[in-house]
Structure formats: C-alpha cells, structure tokens
Amino acid sequence: MEHLEKHERMQMWQNIQQALINEQMDQFRAEFLELHPYDQAKIFEEQDEDIRFLIYTYLSPEEMAEVMEHVDRDIVNEFISEMVPAFAAKIFEEMSTDDAVDILNELDKNKVASFLTIMNKESSEEIKQLLHYEEKTAGSIMTTEFVVINHDMTVKEAMRHLRKEAPEAETIYYIYVVDSDKKLVGVISLRDLIIAEGDWLIQDVMSERVVSVPVGEGQEDIAQMMRDYDFLALPVVDFQNHLLGIITVDDIMDVMEEEASDDYSKLAGISDVERFGDTALQAAKKRLPWLIALLFLGMFTANIIARFQGALEQVALLAAFIPVIAGMAGNTGTQALAVAVRSISNGDMDKIGKASVIWQEAKTGVITGTTCGILITLIVAFWYGELYLGILVGISIMATLFVATIAGAFVPLVMHRFNIDPAVASGPFITTLNDIISMFIYFGLATAFMNLLIGGG
Amino acid sequence: MEHLEKHERMQMWQNIQQALINEQMDQFRAEFLELHPYDQAKIFEEQDEDIRFLIYTYLSPEEMAEVMEHVDRDIVNEFISEMVPAFAAKIFEEMSTDDAVDILNELDKNKVASFLTIMNKESSEEIKQLLHYEEKTAGSIMTTEFVVINHDMTVKEAMRHLRKEAPEAETIYYIYVVDSDKKLVGVISLRDLIIAEGDWLIQDVMSERVVSVPVGEGQEDIAQMMRDYDFLALPVVDFQNHLLGIITVDDIMDVMEEEASDDYSKLAGISDVERFGDTALQAAKKRLPWLIALLFLGMFTANIIARFQGALEQVALLAAFIPVIAGMAGNTGTQALAVAVRSISNGDMDKIGKASVIWQEAKTGVITGTTCGILITLIVAFWYGELYLGILVGISIMATLFVATIAGAFVPLVMHRFNIDPAVASGPFITTLNDIISMFIYFGLATAFMNLLIGGG
C-alpha cells in the first residue's frame, strides 16, 4: 500500500495505538475517524480483546458499522459474538443491508433470529427479505439502499429527492426510474441528470433501454455482464420487472476475486479456498479429500501396472519411463482442462461450439504429441542406446498426449452439459485419469512388441 | 445474457442484419445506435468483410470509436488494419486515450508512427505520453480524460466546470482537486458536491486524504487497493505529486480478469493465456515450452529409476506404485503452491510472514502424509497381502508428502524473494520436481530394506 507515505502511516498507527493504551477517547476518535474504513478495520483486527472492548465503547454503532463492513469476512463473526447483543444489533441496523446479510448468513440461525428481534422493525424487515435469497445469486449480493425516482418527476424534483436520499444510498450515480406500478422503466446517470434542464421531465431524459438482471441470476454471469458493459451498478428485478434492489461494482469486484480464487483452488485440487488464518489441521482437511480420492484412483493405476508384471520382469528398464509418460499425460490434460474451463466461464465456449473445441484440441494433441514423441525417441535412442525402447516410449507419449488432450477438454464439457461446475473437474482428477490411460497405452504396447524389446535390448 | 429478452434481442439483430444486406443506412443507424456499445461490437465482430466496409461508411469516426473500444482486444487490430488510415486515425482521436493506447500498443511500430502523424496534434500528444509507460503499470492503464478543479473554486463554479467537461471525461463521480502548482491536494465526490452549498470553497468541502498511486505502480496492486477501498477511480501521480491521470473501475475489472486468467493458465502450465480464436498450432506453441521442459526433467526421473534397476529386477511389483507416489507428491505440491501463490498475490503473505508459512505447511504435510501413509499401508497389506511392501509404500508416501508440501510453498516464496512472479513456478514444474524427490525417497528406501521385501514377498 503506497498510497499513504509509509512513515506517515506508521506515525498515525502509533498515535492511535498510544491513545488506546492511555485510554484517551477524544485523541483516539480524532485520529481514527480520519482514516478510510478499510484502514480502520485493519487496525481494529490487530487489537487484543481488552482494547477491542474499549473501542466498542469509544465508537458509535454507526461508526462501528463502517469498520465491520471492512473487517475480513472470515473473522468478523468472532467480533460480533463478543459484543453486547444490543450493540451488535444496532451495528447491523446501520450497515449496508447487503453487508449485514452477508455477515448474518455465516452466523448461527438462533443468533440471527435474536438479532432480528432486537433490531428496529424497518431494518429487520429489509434484512429478512434478503436472507431468503440463495447464495451466489443476484438476490444475495444486491442492496436495497438505492435511489429510485418516478418517471413523471421533473429533473429539479429528482435532484432534490437525490440530495435528500444521497447519504443513505449505496450509489447515486445511476438513478433508476419506475412507473406508478413500481415497475422499472428507465435509468438516468447522475452525469446526464446534472446537465439536463431543471423543468424537463425524467421520462424525456432517461434511457429506456435499462439493463437489469433477474433476482435468481448467478453472480458469475452478473460479474461478466458488468465487466463487458462497464456498468457501475445493475438493477435487480423480479419476473414482473419490479425493482427489488441494485448491485454495485464494489461488490462485483469481490465476486470476481472470489470466483477467481475458487477456480484456481479447484485446479490445484483444494476442495475449499484456504484462508489466511487457517490452522494446519483446517488446511489439511481441505486438501485431504482430493489426496485420498487420488490415492484410491492411484491404486487402479498400480493394479494395471501389476498386471503387466511379466513385462516388467523381462525389461525392468520399462519402469524408468513410467513417471515421464504419466506426468506428460497429466500435464497436457491439465492444460487442455484449464483452457476449456476458462472458455466455458468467460462465454467463449458458446461462441465456438463444443464440437469445434474438441476438434481443435485433437489437432493440438497431434502437434504436441508428435513433437514430444519424436524428441523422446531420439533421447532414449541416443542416451540409453535403446532404439526399440525409444520408439516404444515415443509412440506411447504421442498416443498418450493425443488422448489426454482430448480427455482434458472433454471432461469439463460433459460436466458443463450436465450443469455441474466444470471447475470441479480439477487438475488432479484429470491427471490421475490420464495416468491410468497412459499406463494402459504404454504397457499394452510394451507387451505387444516384447520380442522386439528383448531382441533390441 | 438475460438482460434483453431473447426474442427481442434476436429480432433486433435480424433487423440490423437485414438493413445491412439491403444497404439501408438510415434503418441500420436507427437500430444499431440504440444498442449498448458492447452489443454493437459483438454484432460488428460477426460481419463479413464487405459488410464491415459498409459499416465504416455508415458510422462516423466517433460512433465507430465507441464500437472499437468494445471489440475483443485480440482481433481489433485486424479491423484497424483494413480501414483507410485516415479513418482509423480519426477513430483513435475519438477513443478514450487509455483504450487507444491499449490498442496501439499491439500494433506494428511503423503503423503507430503513421497514425500519430495523421492524427490531430492534441490527441497524438496525449497518446504519445501514455505510450511511454511500461505495460501493466498505472501509467499504461490510466486515462488522461478526467475532470480537475482548483482548490480555490466555489462549489458553484466547480459544478459549472463539471457540466462543461462531463461529456469528455471518463468519470465525473470523483473530482480531483489541484493547487496552483497542479499538485494533487484533495478529492471530492460528486455526491458530496451536489449536497454542498453553492458559495462554499472547494478546499473547505474536499477531502484532503486523497489516496493516489505512483505512475509506476503495478496493476495487480492497484486492483487490490481499489477492491479493498471500494474506489470507483484512483488518481495517478508522479514523484512530485503532480496529477497525471486517473484509473477507473471498469479498467480495473479488466485487469482483475486478466490477472486471474494469467495465474490460472500458469498453474496449468500454459506459457501464455490461450485465446478464443487461437489455431491449433498457436495453442500447441503456447503449451509446448512447458511440455518439452518437463520431458527433459522427466528424463532425470527416468535416470534415477534406471539406477535402481537392480531393485526393480528383484521386485518388479515396486514399479506398480511409482505413479501413485509420484502423483501424490505432485498433487500435494501443487496444492501448497496454489495456496502460497494466492497468499503472495493478495498480500496475506506479508501479514503472516514467510517462516510461519513454511512452518504451517510443514505441519500440514505431516498431517496429510501420515493420513495417506497409513491408508496406503493398509490397502497394500490387505489387498496385495504384502505387508512389508505396504509399509515401504506408506513410509514413502508419508515422507514424500511432507517434503513435497514444503517444496510447493518454498519455491514460490524464494521466487517472490528474488522478485520473480511466483505464478511462473507453475503446477507442472512443482509436479516434476516432486516426482524426482519422491522417486529418490521410494527407491532409496526400497534398496535399503530389500532383504525385508524379498523375505516378505
């Protein structure tokens, strides 16, 4: 973070820390409230319990709400739990509804119910509505704090309304327009509003081509839409086009980060995203499901090789090339998988079509397979002086890379067809599948041409 | 894309297509210019050459500029190249400077020079300045079309200035304030500006704690800062705090997508991000560097096993467990690698420290290693009836998982230390490194305890 000079930043942190230790509330508030809420949250997170309790008495629920909105979502519940419930409930009242819902969703159901009871009615109603929506849909990430104007207002009236609502609203840069049935009929940017004449009617200056998303839409698609269309906010509607809420770009950035982490972790074979602060046991728990699954799959590979024990007893050197063949198969499969998963998630797949993706991968597999096959044949022939073994390994690599490349693209496509998130077909799974395929090819060929190998060796 | 009703969308596309085929310019313009530029770009991309040339005559350079800003960056240069140079130059004049620079950066240097010569002086000066900045830094993604006001203006004067500048500016929602030396001294949001009294001075209502980034800052850090602080725009300054440009959130979303694709591809061992429209040969070229590197690394593994040929000749079944041991080593290494790379890129690494990351991974490796080791010992002992072989494989897995987990975290940390992008230490590299380590452990142990194995088998 280079935005504040480092020494300036250090100095401020020290002052704040000092004020807390000396229990100087005014001093603390003067320095602390100057900071961006993100920085406030980072300072807060680092305090010990007794200092945190001091902060709870120094800040108003409204000020504390801003801090909590920016505290790391993985640890925020610890802080909520240690607060006096009435104070926590007040904080939820003051928070943006979408943030409040996000945090409450992670809490124990009984606790949520009790917070909702203590809270004022208006806030608890708003929160209850949002709590119903399924995770990772438009409904779960939208906020209900937005500015809405009627189509028959004048620009001047709209501006007056806007000034009044501005402090509460999540964004005021896109203002949505509804008709008398509360249906979404248009949008106007604040930019256009401030350059319009005061006595014009909103319906004459607004854009009628307002882009909206249904409340059940998935967050990944929304993120893509927002990125493609460069929106700062998107309205969310029900099936009758009633305006339910808005999604703002800052929440979408969090969605993008979350989805990217998710895809990345899955490619590496981690069942759930590991987080800062996970203990070794928690980390192991997230990694073991894959490792154990792979261990069992690996036993299949072992079985296949064990069946060819005869061939191995005749030419023990065959074993030497097992890792390189299996490894190449795994790697090429992961490459094809990664490309397929990315094209599915960014929509390219729909444009080019599945058949041509497979055909494309087949051709790519032929090129990479032939190149690597010839290369390894030459290496084994000259390095080990084993021409026939070289040819065997070369042909195995060639066939393996061809099949593995297609498999890498095929598996996520099939999963996508059946509405399973293709990112679940993670790297390790494809790797192990391709291990099995490659050992079949290698030892199958070795057995078939055993006389040549023994004669040649 | 659910935002326009499907049939409505289809109908519009058909109308536009029809208008183009019938060469009805007015009809085409009426329908086409109603669309969001992103949709315009998608329609444009699908046209044949002769229709594209028709479109170039139907749209003004200004209208065409909006389309080109949204055309896929991988193919936009084909279109630029087929245009009359004077028309293309006019399009660059009308585009946002940052988009123009982004596209020009991919063009042949001679072509760029000729466009800059034909262009009007003002635009070419602006573009030239930005072309100098290194790729993936603040300078390369910032735009110079922003609104700046003086600290001694009144709110009313500022609003008047804003209304005048609004149509040209990339965003008007954050307005940056400079002093008489053109140094950045503050920021005010349009939200605060519209609720301020008209005769107040800007310096009294602006926030002085303006967060800015130096022009050489990396784009990944900027994206993280924008996400943490929920900014819609960030000012870019030189070392003397002169305001040079701004970065807007829509560009940052593209950066986030680019960086995520990049990390993902590298984990899968693809040297460069594959794109929609790559031929099989281009795809193969991007994958082959890793595959060939791994092939040579794989020969080391083969060499190690070949050295233990004696052990293999005595107990051929040893070969059966090569893939599972090497595979588990590779997978656990990739998991640890993925976690380390993510923590480095999102800044968590700095918080927890490198030593404790390694320590954490060591503990995780002990847990996963012990679990999988015991499991495979039991499987081999009961399934194959080979107790000693089971213990050997179990201990090998345990040791391997321990070492491989640490290696997976250690390699990216070391690379980070030497300022190499740790994402380059991709999955396949770690996998192969761990193949080698695991084979040493496995065959080393097998040779040491050969008498037990022969006795037991």
Side-chain angles (χ1 to χ4, degrees):
Chain A
M1 299 288 148
E2 312 258 330
H3 52 286
L4 280 183
E5 293 291 330
K6 257 206 183 118
H7 66 267
E8 191 188 352
R9 188 187 175 83
M10 290 295 287
Q11 188 57 49
M12 279 174 41
W13 283 47
Q14 269 173 22
N15 290 349
I16 290 170
Q17 207 65 50
Q18 206 54 49
L20 283 169
I21 291 164
N22 300 342
E23 306 195 12
Q24 295 165 314
M25 172 165 133
D26 293 339
Q27 179 71 17
F28 166 75
R29 287 178 55 84
E31 298 259 359
F32 189 75
L33 295 176
E34 276 278 300
L35 295 176
H36 186 284
Y38 175 79
D39 291 322
Q40 295 177 354
K42 295 307 125 190
I43 291 179
F44 173 80
E45 285 174 12
E46 283 183 14
Q47 303 304 321
D48 295 329
E49 199 180 344
D50 51 330
I51 300 282
R52 288 203 300 271
F53 277 93
L54 211 58
I55 295 179
Y56 300 148
T57 65
Y58 285 179
L59 295 180
S60 71
E62 196 180 340
E63 288 155 356
M64 202 62 223
E66 281 222 73
V67 178
M68 295 316 262
E69 283 177 10
H70 289 83
V71 165
D72 198 321
R73 283 292 142 87
D74 299 320
I75 48 174
V76 66
N77 287 334
E78 292 169 34
F79 304 134
I80 297 289
S81 306
E82 71 184 13
M83 292 175 188
V84 181
F87 185 69
K90 277 228 163 355
I91 288 176
F92 284 121
E93 285 175 15
E94 300 289 346
M95 260 186 211
S96 295
T97 335
D98 55 342
D99 287 313
V101 169
D102 210 24
I103 295 171
L104 285 168
N105 259 328
E106 299 289 317
L107 279 178
D108 178 81
K109 289 245 152 108
N110 289 321
K111 255 189 202 159
V112 175
S114 89
F115 283 136
L116 289 173
T117 321
I118 328 178
M119 227 176 272
N120 72 37
K121 207 166 165 204
E122 194 194 329
S123 301
S124 81
E125 287 302 322
E126 274 180 14
I127 289 175
K128 268 183 209 157
Q129 273 179 12
L130 290 185
L131 276 173
H132 286 145
Y133 296 110
E134 212 183 322
E135 254 202 296
K136 304 199 170 190
T137 63
S140 72
I141 54 172
M142 73 185 184
T143 179
T144 49
E145 284 124 340
F146 56 93
V147 187
V148 61
I149 55 180
N150 280 313
H151 64 136
D152 53 4
M153 279 181 173
T154 62
V155 168
K156 209 171 181 177
E157 284 167 346
M159 278 299 280
R160 200 179 304 133
H161 180 69
L162 202 60
R163 285 205 185 87
K164 212 182 64 198
E165 298 283 326
E168 291 297 316
E170 185 109 335
T171 182
I172 59 160
Y173 301 132
Y174 282 89
I175 305 121
Y176 298 102
V177 186
V178 293
D179 63 13
S180 44
D181 294 331
K182 304 267 173 209
K183 288 190 182 175
L184 179 68
V185 291
V187 61
I188 181 162
S189 67
L190 180 54
R191 187 186 191 125
D192 290 334
L193 198 62
I194 64 165
I195 53 178
E197 296 290 332
D199 51 354
W200 289 353
L201 282 179
I202 290 297
Q203 57 196 2
D204 298 328
V205 287
M206 73 184 189
S207 160
E208 287 174 33
R209 288 213 171 273
V210 52
V211 175
S212 63
V213 289
V215 70
E217 182 90 349
Q219 65 177 12
E220 199 165 5
D221 292 337
I222 297 170
Q224 202 192 320
M225 198 187 287
M226 223 141 166
R227 192 165 60 80
D228 285 342
Y229 289 85
D230 295 344
F231 290 132
L232 296 180
L234 257 181
V236 180
V237 294
D238 66 10
F239 68 104
Q240 290 181 306
N241 210 30
H242 292 119
L243 185 57
L244 302 178
I246 65 165
I247 297 170
T248 49
V249 71
D250 53 304
D251 297 321
I252 287 300
M253 283 198 282
D254 294 336
V255 167
M256 287 179 69
E257 177 65 25
E258 189 185 324
E259 296 284 345
S261 271
D262 218 41
D263 288 356
Y264 191 82
S265 296
K266 280 176 186 151
L267 185 64
I270 302 171
S271 64
D272 194 4
V273 180
E274 277 188 42
R275 304 195 171 176
F276 162 55
D278 272 0
T279 65
L281 191 64
Q282 284 169 322
K285 269 190 193 160
K286 287 176 181 171
R287 299 185 196 177
L288 271 172
W290 264 119
L291 289 175
I292 292 175
L294 296 176
L295 198 145
F296 280 96
L297 283 171
M299 292 314 293
F300 278 97
T301 322
N303 255 329
I304 291 165
I305 300 177
R307 257 194 243 170
F308 291 105
Q309 209 172 337
L312 274 163
E313 273 161 10
Q314 288 181 280
V315 185
L317 199 56
L318 278 177
F321 299 98
I322 293 177
V324 69
I325 294 175
M328 298 285 285
N331 287 322
T332 196
T334 307
Q335 291 177 329
L337 168 88
V339 173
V341 169
R342 289 292 321 167
S343 342
I344 291 172
S345 82
N346 69 17
D348 281 349
M349 185 65 75
D350 300 330
K351 289 181 213 154
I352 19 182
K354 290 175 193 175
S356 55
V357 168
I358 297 287
W359 175 232
Q360 168 93 351
E361 287 298 330
K363 286 188 288 183
T364 308
V366 167
I367 302 173
T368 55
T370 311
T371 314
C372 293
I374 292 175
L375 212 59
I376 205 162
T377 302
L378 294 176
I379 296 174
V380 177
F382 289 105
W383 196 341
Y384 290 84
E386 302 263 5
L387 178 63
Y388 290 112
L389 186 61
I391 295 175
L392 170 70
V393 175
I395 294 178
S396 300
I397 290 261
M398 196 174 76
T400 296
L401 258 55
F402 176 68
V403 177
T405 305
I406 296 178
F410 192 69
V411 171
L413 280 179
V414 170
M415 300 183 87
H416 183 54
R417 175 72 192 71
F418 290 104
N419 281 323
I420 307 170
D421 179 2
V424 175
S426 64
F429 174 69
I430 285 290
T431 303
T432 310
L433 180 73
N434 282 333
D435 276 359
I436 298 175
I437 295 174
S438 66
M439 287 302 109
F440 253 123
I441 294 175
Y442 181 44
F443 282 104
L445 286 173
T447 312
F449 299 102
M450 187 48 82
N451 354 0
L452 280 178
L453 285 180
I454 299 175
Chain B
M1 300 288 147
E2 313 257 330
H3 51 283
L4 279 183
E5 293 291 331
K6 262 211 177 108
H7 64 266
E8 192 189 349
R9 188 187 174 81
M10 288 297 287
Q11 188 57 51
M12 278 174 41
W13 282 47
Q14 269 173 23
N15 290 349
I16 290 171
Q17 208 64 52
Q18 205 55 50
L20 283 169
I21 291 164
N22 300 342
E23 304 196 12
Q24 296 165 312
M25 172 164 134
D26 292 340
Q27 179 72 16
F28 167 76
R29 287 180 55 84
E31 299 258 0
F32 189 76
L33 295 176
E34 276 280 298
L35 295 175
H36 187 285
Y38 175 79
D39 291 321
Q40 295 177 353
K42 294 308 124 186
I43 291 179
F44 173 78
E45 285 175 11
E46 283 182 15
Q47 304 303 323
D48 294 331
E49 199 181 344
D50 50 332
I51 298 282
R52 289 203 301 271
F53 277 93
L54 212 57
I55 295 179
Y56 299 149
T57 64
Y58 285 179
L59 296 179
S60 70
E62 197 178 343
E63 288 154 355
M64 205 60 223
E66 279 223 72
V67 178
M68 295 317 264
E69 281 177 12
H70 288 84
V71 164
D72 198 323
R73 283 291 142 87
D74 299 319
I75 46 174
V76 65
N77 287 334
E78 292 169 34
F79 304 134
I80 297 289
S81 307
E82 70 186 13
M83 292 176 189
V84 181
F87 185 68
K90 276 225 163 352
I91 289 177
F92 283 120
E93 285 175 14
E94 298 291 344
M95 259 187 213
S96 295
T97 335
D98 54 343
D99 287 312
V101 170
D102 211 24
I103 295 171
L104 286 168
N105 258 328
E106 299 291 316
L107 281 177
D108 179 82
K109 290 246 155 106
N110 289 323
K111 257 189 199 160
V112 175
S114 88
F115 284 135
L116 290 173
T117 320
I118 327 179
M119 227 176 275
N120 71 36
K121 203 163 171 208
E122 193 193 331
S123 302
S124 82
E125 285 303 320
E126 273 180 16
I127 289 174
K128 266 183 209 158
Q129 271 178 15
L130 291 184
L131 277 174
H132 285 146
Y133 295 110
E134 213 182 321
E135 254 201 298
K136 303 198 172 190
T137 63
S140 72
I141 54 172
M142 74 186 184
T143 178
T144 48
E145 283 124 340
F146 56 95
V147 187
V148 60
I149 53 180
N150 279 317
H151 65 135
D152 52 4
M153 279 183 175
T154 62
V155 167
K156 208 171 180 177
E157 285 168 346
M159 279 299 280
R160 199 178 307 133
H161 180 69
L162 203 59
R163 286 205 185 85
K164 211 181 66 198
E165 298 284 325
E168 291 298 317
E170 184 110 334
T171 181
I172 59 160
Y173 301 132
Y174 282 90
I175 305 121
Y176 298 101
V177 185
V178 293
D179 63 12
S180 44
D181 294 333
K182 306 265 173 210
K183 288 190 183 176
L184 180 67
V185 292
V187 62
I188 182 162
S189 67
L190 181 55
R191 186 185 191 128
D192 291 334
L193 198 61
I194 64 165
I195 55 177
E197 296 290 333
D199 52 356
W200 289 353
L201 281 179
I202 289 296
Q203 58 196 4
D204 297 329
V205 289
M206 73 184 189
S207 161
E208 286 175 31
R209 288 213 172 276
V210 53
V211 174
S212 63
V213 289
V215 70
E217 182 89 349
Q219 64 176 10
E220 199 164 6
D221 292 337
I222 297 170
Q224 202 193 317
M225 197 186 287
M226 222 141 168
R227 192 164 59 80
D228 286 342
Y229 290 85
D230 296 343
F231 290 132
L232 296 180
L234 259 181
V236 180
V237 295
D238 66 10
F239 70 104
Q240 290 181 307
N241 210 30
H242 291 118
L243 184 56
L244 302 178
I246 64 165
I247 297 171
T248 50
V249 70
D250 54 302
D251 296 322
I252 286 301
M253 285 198 282
D254 295 336
V255 167
M256 288 178 68
E257 176 65 25
E258 188 186 325
E259 295 285 344
S261 271
D262 215 42
D263 287 357
Y264 191 82
S265 297
K266 279 178 186 152
L267 185 64
I270 302 171
S271 64
D272 194 2
V273 180
E274 278 188 41
R275 303 195 172 176
F276 161 57
D278 270 2
T279 65
L281 191 65
Q282 283 170 321
K285 268 189 194 161
K286 287 175 181 175
R287 299 185 197 179
L288 271 172
W290 265 118
L291 289 175
I292 293 174
L294 296 176
L295 199 145
F296 279 96
L297 283 172
M299 294 313 295
F300 277 97
T301 323
N303 254 331
I304 290 165
I305 300 177
R307 256 194 243 171
F308 291 105
Q309 207 171 341
L312 274 164
E313 273 160 9
Q314 288 180 282
V315 186
L317 199 55
L318 278 177
F321 298 98
I322 293 177
V324 70
I325 295 175
M328 298 285 285
N331 288 321
T332 198
T334 308
Q335 290 177 329
L337 168 87
V339 173
V341 169
R342 289 297 313 168
S343 336
I344 292 172
S345 81
N346 68 17
D348 281 349
M349 186 65 77
D350 300 329
K351 289 180 212 155
I352 21 183
K354 289 174 195 174
S356 55
V357 167
I358 297 286
W359 176 232
Q360 167 92 352
E361 288 296 330
K363 286 188 289 182
T364 309
V366 168
I367 302 173
T368 54
T370 311
T371 314
C372 294
I374 293 174
L375 213 59
I376 204 160
T377 303
L378 294 175
I379 295 174
V380 177
F382 289 105
W383 195 343
Y384 289 83
E386 300 264 7
L387 178 62
Y388 288 112
L389 184 61
I391 295 175
L392 170 71
V393 176
I395 295 178
S396 299
I397 289 262
M398 197 174 75
T400 296
L401 257 54
F402 176 69
V403 178
T405 306
I406 296 178
F410 192 69
V411 170
L413 279 179
V414 170
M415 299 181 88
H416 183 54
R417 175 71 192 73
F418 290 103
N419 281 324
I420 308 170
D421 179 3
V424 176
S426 64
F429 175 69
I430 285 288
T431 302
T432 309
L433 180 71
N434 282 332
D435 275 359
I436 298 175
I437 296 174
S438 67
M439 288 302 108
F440 252 123
I441 295 176
Y442 180 46
F443 282 104
L445 286 172
T447 312
F449 299 102
M450 187 48 82
N451 0 4
L452 280 177
L453 284 180
I454 300 176

